[in-house]
């Protein structure tokens, strides 16, 4: 498990209005938030490489 992904996933989860205890959630819910975390890291890396966020808009709608 990548600890960076896990921390970001937990932060996204905690920001969710219906958030309960992360450790009590089923693995399928955790994996959904890990997927969001991986996508956020990927988009940030693209941005840092020089791609403006506006160019990534179609990708953002797929992630949501």
């Amino acid at each position: 498990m990548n600890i960076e992904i896990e921390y970001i996933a937990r932060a996204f989860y905690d920001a969710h209005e219906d958030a309960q205890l992360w450790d009590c959630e089923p693995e399928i819910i955790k994996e959904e938030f890990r997927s969001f975390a991986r996508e956020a890291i990927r988009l940030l890396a693209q941005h840092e490489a020089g791609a403006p966020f506006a160019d990534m808009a179609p990708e953002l709608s797929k992630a949501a």
Side-chain angles (χ1 to χ4, degrees):
M1 172 181 21
N2 183 329
I3 196 72
E4 181 178 63
I5 300 288
E6 194 70 9
Y7 284 145
I8 295 168
R10 285 180 181 217
F12 284 163
Y13 176 79
D14 288 341
H16 193 264
E17 65 186 59
D18 295 334
Q20 303 296 314
L21 291 175
W22 174 262
D23 293 333
C24 295
E25 287 293 347
E27 195 60 29
I28 193 165
I29 300 295
K30 292 177 181 179
E31 193 52 43
E32 179 181 9
F33 283 92
R34 290 176 186 133
S35 175
F36 295 152
R38 284 189 289 275
E39 183 66 9
I41 291 169
R42 186 185 70 77
L43 289 170
L44 181 59
Q46 281 184 353
H47 177 70
E48 289 176 344
F53 282 126
D55 292 346
M56 294 180 264
E59 295 176 36
L60 289 173
S61 62
K62 285 189 274 184

